[in-house]
Amino acid sequence: MAEEKYRHILLRQRGDINRYTNPQGRGSSFELFPGLNRQVHGNKIKNDLQAAFLESEELGRIRRKNDINEKLGIYLTIESHEGFPLNFEKLDTAKEGIELIRAFLKDGKELAVIFVPDGKTKIFFDKIEKYLTKTTKQGNFRYRDLIETIEKIKLSALENFWSDSEPFPIDLKEKKIFEAWLRKGDDRNSIIQRFKEEANKAEIFVSDKGLEFPETTVFLIRSSIHQLKQSILLLDCLSEFRFSKDSPAFFLDMEPVDELQWTEDLLDRVSLDDGHKDIAVCILDTGVNYSHPLLTQSITENDTDAYNPDWGKVDHFGHGTEMAGLALYGDLYPLLNNRDSIILNHSLESVKILPPNGENREDLYGVITEACVASAELIAIERKRIFNLAVTTLELSNQTGEPTSWSAAIDKLAFGNEEEDTFKRLILISAGNLPYNEIKNYPASNELHSVQNPAQAWNSLTVGAFTDKVDIDIKKYPELAAIARKGDLSPTSTTSLLWNESDWPIKPEIVMEGGNYAKDKFDFVTRHDPLSLITTGHDFQKKLFTICGDTSAATAQASRYAALVTSAYPDFWPETIRGILVQAADYTNLNLDYRKIQNFNQTNQLNILRKFGFGHPNLETALRSAKSFCTLIIQDEIQPFIKDGSTIKTNEIKFYKLPLPVAVLNQIPLEEVELKVTLSYFIEPNVRKINTKYAKTYSSCALRFDSQAGTETIEGFKKRVNKVEREKLDDGKLETGFPNPENDHWVFGSQLRGFGSIHSDVWLGAAAELAKKDSICVYPVGGWWKTRKQLGKFNEKIRFSLLVTIKTKSSEVDIYNEIASKVAIEV
């Protein structure tokens, strides 16, 4: 007998706020290159600097020749000793006008490009002179932690601004499409204007619109390396440049399934919820043919638009209409094969993001996506919507997880306008698919092909694909066999296994059904209809149904889940809806379970996360709790940092007391239970590479969660996670020795759950232990809001959603109603 379903419980508590300092926090001391002679090294750096400034006089002559009277400046490239870090914080001194433009690694050394305005060169020489002649009260050389991290200084060349993972172009005359990342400087508009003017003189094409980020503006340009090198004034505006890779791959042509009578039967069983037009899945794709009989009740011409009005609104290719059918109904196959009633709780929108002919080469895809999102929001301003983007680039060079202008634009859109800090957006993106000719090498090829651009976006919910579709009629097709096993990765789904050595997010975060492929004894790969999903076809006058699969199909189904949850809980934030889909995911359909994963080593655990994310969501679990499991949700905000004098410090930690079902848990003290926790929030992106640890400076801040151990007092828990809570001993030092007594109870642990901006983990233990774990906390770690003091974001607040699910194995135990009664009493 099925369990009775209940609504998830939204806790209204705001948490107890304490000042916060990380117990593991380190000072700003740097490991310096050993054995340097102060006088020799200081004079060597001084000579490097003098040579660079002499070389820069050519720039001054060009400026005077062009009647440019504005004081500009020069770019210097600072290089570290091999294997030793640069002190980036000391290189970036905005108060003195010196600006860190970008940082990168090369041949084991850290390099930084800095901009030194005219009139500020004396600052550098003064610091070198003080290093040579002055000593602090503690006996240290002045500016030692800056000067001794530097091995050499030279005037920057165009090559120093190259930030692509592909090598710097060899052919200097071949024109290519690049992204030009401009520094912001004191006046963003002035730099943009000068860049465009100089580009026009050099006959370099520049896109009309740019993408604005906190410290840079990105434009698309068409130029040769020779043209760029000839214009020193263009170099004056750059912070970096790279190849443009934002041109979508073409999609597979789907075969039709022609069963007209199914449509009529299905429509007889469809009814519309009264509020179905209040929530929509917005398809950013090739358009949607809104006159399709199965779609026309849920989308009209007024619900559609296109980036370019000349493209028309209807679907020119088919992919968008396929996404629409899956986003509205899911896989049509089970619906067409039963007689159940269907209630549609949400509707559809479409904004055409792809042209009917050719590709979008003249504008950045980030700009196009921003424009299409804005267009959708004008369709119906009050409507809640989930954005579905199943357009990615097949980018073999993007194997590290680093942001691009497109993925950063996605993050910026999700984060929202800083002046409207409650206006956030939920954007679901497909992980991207393998090239067709690589499927034969499954699954090795999936591990070697990275999640595609822009699906590395931190704030998106990236969707990969698994499959349960393995059945082939062997009498009819004796030569065919399914490629993937039941519950395994779909044959085209990409992964982030190549990101293992970095701090980039777990991608994909979830997997949905993406269908399967078949092959014969000669390893010939084919898309076999019964292994695919059925959806709406765009050429519906000839074919009402078509097959679909891969990560596009998976994303459309996940968008449907998100819309259904939004319909059930209209007050939930986008961060919460994203969190619920992760919270409802597990590995049950993937031939894995938490206990098995817990026994793997950390490498294998990370491999699972980077292939399957947090698993496959169960829709019923996403929508409702039950007697045996209860999901608690906290929607709150925190101010991560605060200015204390001239220093930016961590600010708040928030503690929450959970209404645990103690009485019920103590009735089954030895039974194993689960506590699942998911923390979801959106970061503000900063694409400037201002440290070689790019992931640490891309996000505005990061949050973490921790929970009280069953053997800890609340005082001990607070001292373990927060240095501020610790007492001073007689010798003036703070208390130490607060290890986490239950690290082994968590499936992934604190190290593996700290990637990106959504963190999820499962605690396994005895019910009696869980009954004592009634305190949980959220606290901040670093980000550019803290390190980029000059941008003035240190007082900003960030929203977060904290989801906690308590689950027992027995449906006879009623944990939900004990929790509900406790919450009612507290309210």
Side-chain angles (χ1 to χ4, degrees), residues 346-597:
H346 63 284
S347 59
L348 297 171
E349 295 174 340
S350 166
V351 182
K352 185 181 285 195
I353 198 170
L354 295 173
N357 298 299
E359 297 178 348
N360 291 315
R361 297 298 301 244
E362 301 303 322
D363 285 291
L364 292 169
Y365 256 89
V367 171
I368 295 173
T369 306
E370 283 186 342
C372 290
V373 166
S375 176
E377 289 167 349
L378 289 174
I379 289 173
I381 295 174
E382 299 301 321
R383 183 181 288 164
K384 294 179 180 292
R385 55 182 54 79
I386 290 89
F387 291 95
N388 181 98
L389 180 64
V391 177
T392 60
T393 62
L394 180 61
E395 190 176 319
L396 297 179
S397 62
N398 180 37
Q399 302 286 17
T400 62
E402 286 195 4
T404 62
S405 61
W406 192 7
S407 72
I410 298 291
D411 284 331
K412 181 183 172 187
L413 285 166
F415 182 78
N417 190 318
E418 62 186 80
E419 296 175 359
E420 303 172 21
D421 59 358
T422 59
F423 191 53
K424 311 290 184 182
R425 301 176 179 92
L426 179 57
I427 304 171
L428 280 74
I429 307 179
S430 61
N433 304 318
L434 295 181
Y436 189 79
N437 63 349
E438 291 285 346
I439 298 174
K440 63 181 182 293
N441 299 319
Y442 174 90
S445 51
N446 305 71
E447 299 176 358
L448 296 174
H449 281 75
S450 168
V451 163
Q452 293 173 5
N453 189 27
Q456 71 272 41
W458 289 48
N459 295 338
S460 71
L461 184 68
T462 299
V463 186
F466 85 108
T467 188
D468 271 338
K469 296 180 179 290
V470 295
D471 295 330
I472 296 176
D473 186 342
I474 58 174
K475 291 183 180 179
K476 192 173 181 180
Y477 303 101
E479 74 283 4
L480 293 183
I483 290 177
R485 297 174 304 168
K486 185 180 178 67
D488 217 334
L489 201 67
S490 192
T492 60
S493 192
T494 52
T495 68
S496 60
L497 284 164
L498 294 178
W499 304 0
N500 277 1
E501 299 305 317
S502 74
D503 294 325
W504 299 116
I506 296 297
K507 294 289 178 177
E509 286 97 347
I510 60 172
V511 291
M512 299 287 288
E513 177 65 67
N516 206 342
Y517 284 73
K519 64 179 179 180
D520 61 18
K521 63 182 179 180
F522 301 108
D523 283 343
F524 176 78
V525 174
T526 182
R527 181 187 284 281
H528 187 56
D529 287 4
L531 301 179
S532 302
L533 294 86
I534 298 178
T535 186
T536 46
H538 82 295
D539 193 5
F540 59 89
Q541 292 179 334
K542 295 179 180 179
K543 301 173 292 187
L544 281 168
F545 303 111
T546 188
I547 60 170
C548 187
D550 308 320
T551 60
S552 294
T555 305
Q557 293 170 93
S559 295
R560 173 176 173 265
Y561 278 22
L564 291 172
V565 175
T566 303
S567 175
Y569 302 94
D571 293 334
F572 282 2
W573 297 342
E575 301 97 316
T576 308
I577 303 300
R578 179 176 73 145
I580 284 179
L581 293 191
V582 168
Q583 186 77 351
D586 62 25
Y587 302 95
T588 303
N589 289 351
L590 304 172
N591 306 317
L592 290 165
D593 60 53
Y594 288 129
R595 180 60 74 186
K596 185 185 295 185
I597 295 170

Side-chain angles (χ1 to χ4, degrees), residues 245-292:
K245 296 159 182 165
D246 297 339
S247 51
F250 292 106
F251 305 100
L252 293 170
D253 187 18
M254 307 295 179
E255 295 295 327
V257 180
D258 188 10
E259 297 285 352
L260 179 60
Q261 65 272 24
W262 290 356
T263 303
E264 296 168 351
D265 176 76
L266 185 59
L267 285 172
D268 286 341
R269 294 182 278 119
V270 170
S271 61
L272 303 177
D273 181 78
D274 289 342
H276 81 286
K277 294 295 285 186
D278 297 336
I279 297 158
V281 174
C282 182
I283 310 293
L284 302 176
D285 215 286
T286 59
V288 169
N289 283 354
Y290 43 82
S291 297
H292 191 291

Side-chain angles (χ1 to χ4, degrees), residues 7-20:
R7 289 180 65 79
H8 301 319
I9 297 175
L10 179 63
L11 299 179
R12 301 294 180 179
Q13 59 175 296
R14 286 296 183 182
D16 295 329
I17 304 175
N18 291 19
R19 285 295 303 275
Y20 174 70

